[in-house]
Protein backbone atom coordinates (compact mmCIF):
# COMPACT_ATOMS: atom_id res chain seq x y z
CA UNK A 1 0.00 0.00 0.00
CA UNK A 2 1.15 3.55 -0.70
CA UNK A 3 -0.31 7.02 -0.27
CA UNK A 4 0.48 10.14 -2.28
CA UNK A 5 -1.53 12.94 -0.64
CA UNK A 6 -0.66 16.58 -0.05
CA UNK A 7 -2.71 19.19 1.81
CA UNK A 8 -1.45 22.77 1.98
CA UNK A 9 -3.03 26.06 2.98
CA UNK A 10 -1.24 29.15 1.77
CA UNK A 11 -1.37 32.39 -0.18
CA UNK A 12 -0.93 32.85 -3.90
CA UNK A 13 2.27 34.64 -4.83
CA UNK A 14 0.92 35.77 -8.21
CA UNK A 15 -2.16 35.51 -10.40
CA UNK A 16 -2.72 32.04 -11.90
CA UNK A 17 -1.07 31.46 -15.27
CA UNK A 18 -3.63 29.65 -17.44
CA UNK A 19 -2.94 28.24 -20.90
CA UNK A 20 -4.54 25.72 -23.23
CA UNK A 21 -2.95 22.34 -23.90
CA UNK A 22 -2.88 20.90 -27.46
CA UNK A 23 -5.87 18.76 -26.40
CA UNK A 24 -7.89 21.93 -25.77
CA UNK A 25 -7.95 21.40 -22.01
CA UNK A 26 -6.80 24.32 -19.84
CA UNK A 27 -3.97 24.06 -17.31
CA UNK A 28 -3.34 26.57 -14.50
CA UNK A 29 0.02 27.06 -12.82
CA UNK A 30 -0.02 28.56 -9.33
CA UNK A 31 2.70 29.65 -6.96
CA UNK A 32 1.62 29.01 -3.35
CA UNK A 33 3.47 30.22 -0.24
CA UNK A 34 3.24 28.57 3.16
CA UNK A 35 4.95 30.05 6.21
CA UNK A 36 6.12 28.66 9.52
CA UNK A 37 7.22 30.63 12.58
CA UNK A 38 9.73 29.22 15.03
CA UNK A 39 12.34 30.25 17.61
CA UNK A 40 16.00 29.85 16.70
CA UNK A 41 18.79 28.74 19.06
CA UNK A 42 19.04 32.27 20.47
CA UNK A 43 15.32 32.32 21.26
CA UNK A 44 14.57 34.85 18.54
CA UNK A 45 11.43 34.54 16.43
CA UNK A 46 12.12 33.43 12.83
CA UNK A 47 9.80 33.02 9.87
CA UNK A 48 10.43 30.61 7.01
CA UNK A 49 8.41 30.65 3.78
CA UNK A 50 8.21 27.66 1.44
CA UNK A 51 7.05 28.07 -2.16
CA UNK A 52 5.04 25.31 -3.81
CA UNK A 53 4.34 24.78 -7.51
CA UNK A 54 0.68 23.88 -7.95
CA UNK A 55 -0.96 22.67 -11.19
CA UNK A 56 -4.69 22.39 -11.94
CA UNK A 57 -6.31 20.94 -15.06
CA UNK A 58 -9.68 21.26 -16.80
CA UNK A 59 -12.56 22.76 -14.84
CA UNK A 60 -10.27 23.38 -11.85
CA UNK A 61 -7.99 25.46 -14.09
CA UNK A 62 -10.98 27.41 -15.41
CA UNK A 63 -12.13 28.15 -11.86
CA UNK A 64 -8.62 29.23 -10.86
CA UNK A 65 -8.65 31.76 -13.68
CA UNK A 66 -12.13 32.94 -12.73
CA UNK A 67 -11.83 33.22 -8.94
CA UNK A 68 -8.17 33.42 -7.89
CA UNK A 69 -5.73 36.31 -7.77
CA UNK A 70 -2.47 37.18 -6.07
CA UNK A 71 -2.70 37.17 -2.27
CA UNK A 72 -5.74 34.87 -2.01
CA UNK A 73 -5.57 32.20 0.67
CA UNK A 74 -6.43 28.74 -0.66
CA UNK A 75 -6.71 25.18 0.60
CA UNK A 76 -5.19 22.68 -1.84
CA UNK A 77 -5.67 18.91 -1.68
CA UNK A 78 -3.66 16.99 -4.24
CA UNK A 79 -0.83 14.62 -5.04
CA UNK A 80 2.88 15.10 -5.61
CA UNK A 81 4.47 14.45 -8.96
CA UNK A 82 7.99 15.02 -10.25
CA UNK A 83 8.60 15.60 -13.93
CA UNK A 84 11.81 15.75 -15.89
CA UNK A 85 12.64 18.25 -18.64
CA UNK A 86 15.72 19.37 -20.54
CA UNK A 87 17.45 22.59 -19.48
CA UNK A 88 17.15 25.41 -22.01
CA UNK A 89 20.94 25.80 -22.09
CA UNK A 90 21.35 22.11 -22.96
CA UNK A 91 23.25 21.32 -19.75
CA UNK A 92 21.17 18.23 -19.00
CA UNK A 93 17.99 17.13 -17.33
CA UNK A 94 16.17 19.16 -14.69
CA UNK A 95 13.47 18.00 -12.28
CA UNK A 96 10.41 19.82 -10.99
CA UNK A 97 8.19 18.62 -8.15
CA UNK A 98 4.60 19.88 -8.31
CA UNK A 99 1.30 19.44 -6.53
CA UNK A 100 -1.43 18.26 -8.89
CA UNK A 101 -4.73 19.66 -7.57
CA UNK A 102 -7.56 17.23 -6.85
CA UNK A 103 -9.64 19.65 -4.75
CA UNK A 104 -9.34 23.32 -3.88
CA UNK A 105 -11.16 25.86 -1.70
CA UNK A 106 -10.82 29.61 -1.40
CA UNK A 107 -10.29 30.70 2.20
CA UNK A 108 -9.91 34.05 3.93
CA UNK A 109 -12.07 37.13 3.77
CA UNK A 110 -10.78 39.11 0.80
CA UNK A 111 -12.95 39.75 -2.22
CA UNK A 112 -13.36 36.64 -4.32
CA UNK A 113 -10.95 37.48 -7.10
CA UNK A 114 -11.77 38.29 -10.71
CA UNK A 115 -15.44 37.30 -10.87
CA UNK A 116 -17.54 40.49 -10.42
CA UNK A 117 -20.66 38.43 -9.65
CA UNK A 118 -19.01 36.45 -6.85
CA UNK A 119 -19.92 37.43 -3.31
CA UNK A 120 -17.50 37.87 -0.43
CA UNK A 121 -18.80 34.71 1.26
CA UNK A 122 -15.58 32.83 0.40
CA UNK A 123 -15.02 29.12 1.05
CA UNK A 124 -15.88 28.52 -2.61
CA UNK A 125 -15.39 24.84 -3.51
CA UNK A 126 -13.83 24.05 -6.86
Amino acid sequence: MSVNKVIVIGNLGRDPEVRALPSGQNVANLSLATSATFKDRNGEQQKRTEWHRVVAFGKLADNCQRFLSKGRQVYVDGRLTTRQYEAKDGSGPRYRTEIIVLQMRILGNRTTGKDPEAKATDDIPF
Side-chain angles (χ1 to χ4, degrees):
M1 183 174 144
S2 65
V3 176
N4 183 353
K5 179 129 177 128
V6 177
I7 296 174
V8 290
I9 296 175
N11 294 76
L12 294 177
R14 62 177 186 255
D15 288 347
E17 296 174 4
V18 180
R19 62 183 174 83
L21 296 173
S23 66
Q25 182 181 41
N26 281 344
V27 60
N29 291 295
L30 311 170
S31 181
L32 188 70
T34 56
S35 299
T37 306
F38 61 95
K39 289 188 179 182
D40 64 13
R41 293 180 188 174
N42 300 325
E44 295 182 27
Q45 198 82 332
Q46 299 290 326
K47 185 176 182 179
R48 178 170 294 146
T49 300
E50 294 286 336
W51 288 94
H52 310 276
R53 296 178 183 274
V54 179
V55 181
F57 293 95
K59 186 168 172 62
L60 282 170
D62 297 338
N63 284 336
C64 287
Q65 185 174 32
R66 184 174 174 200
F67 293 110
L68 297 181
S69 59
K70 179 180 178 178
R72 288 305 314 232
Q73 185 182 46
V74 294
Y75 163 94
V76 174
D77 180 348
R79 62 180 171 81
L80 282 179
T81 187
T82 302
R83 60 185 174 94
Q84 179 181 339
Y85 63 97
E86 286 297 318
K88 289 181 181 177
D89 62 6
S91 62
R94 299 282 188 260
Y95 299 90
R96 177 172 287 170
T97 300
E98 301 168 323
I99 300 170
I100 305 298
V101 178
L102 301 174
Q103 185 178 36
M104 182 180 287
R105 287 190 175 267
I106 298 174
L107 304 175
N109 57 5
R110 290 190 179 182
T111 59
T112 56
K114 301 175 185 173
D115 186 354
E117 295 180 18
K119 306 292 183 218
T121 55
D122 291 322
D123 195 30
I124 298 170
F126 279 51

